[in-house]
Amino acid sequence: MAVSKNFGSKRLVVGAHYGTLDFIAQRITAVILALYTIVLLVGILVMPGSTYENWRALFSFHVFALPLGQMLVTLAFVSLIWHAWIGVRDIWMDYIRPVGVRLLMQVLTILWLVGSLVYFAQIIWRL
């Protein structure tokens, strides 16, 4: 009688192996977004008035000739895109069974996220 060795370090693992790395990535992006939200709220609270120039300065300030405001908002937006991709991809993988429809939804999601990133970059880096 053959004994199955489907346990321990030699067990047969199937699937795409997304679990742990995506879990960690989603937690890291969530922390980045939370920290940026706090920085943004503090910036809004200390902003002297709600004028276009003040809002522009909130996102385009420089530190030692480094566009730190634009770099921080870009980091936050890339984190948002990555966080959204992981979440939406998992929703498509869990709830859409036909492979063709799932692939279509994933491609449309990628196109939407990349388009949003390009549009964001055009706006924020023209300040």
Side-chain angles (χ1 to χ4, degrees):
M1 183 156 109
V3 177
S4 172
K5 293 191 177 190
N6 196 14
F7 57 87
S9 63
K10 297 190 184 225
R11 73 178 192 262
L12 177 64
V13 180
V14 296
H17 309 286
Y18 291 121
T20 304
L21 290 178
D22 286 341
F23 177 84
I24 292 169
Q26 200 156 36
R27 294 327 179 256
I28 289 171
T29 57
V31 168
I32 291 170
L33 290 169
L35 291 174
Y36 185 73
T37 300
I38 292 169
V39 169
L40 190 62
L41 288 174
V42 168
I44 290 171
L45 289 175
V46 299
M47 190 167 49
S50 187
T51 64
Y52 173 76
E53 290 78 22
N54 291 338
W55 278 101
R56 185 172 181 227
L58 187 62
F59 295 106
S60 64
F61 64 91
H62 289 70
V63 175
F64 300 118
L66 200 68
L68 191 60
Q70 291 165 318
M71 291 169 60
L72 289 175
V73 73
T74 301
L75 174 66
F77 198 79
V78 169
S79 295
L80 178 67
I81 294 287
W82 193 1
H83 192 90
W85 166 244
I86 293 169
V88 173
R89 187 207 58 216
D90 287 350
I91 290 171
W92 297 152
M93 288 172 56
D94 288 345
Y95 295 109
I96 298 181
R97 294 290 176 210
V99 176
V101 176
R102 184 183 328 145
L103 180 62
L104 174 68
M105 295 304 290
Q106 288 177 342
V107 168
L108 291 175
T109 303
I110 289 170
L111 290 174
W112 173 68
L113 291 172
V114 169
S116 298
L117 185 62
V118 168
Y119 186 61
F120 160 82
Q122 287 179 347
I123 292 171
I124 206 68
W125 287 96
R126 285 186 187 174
L127 290 178

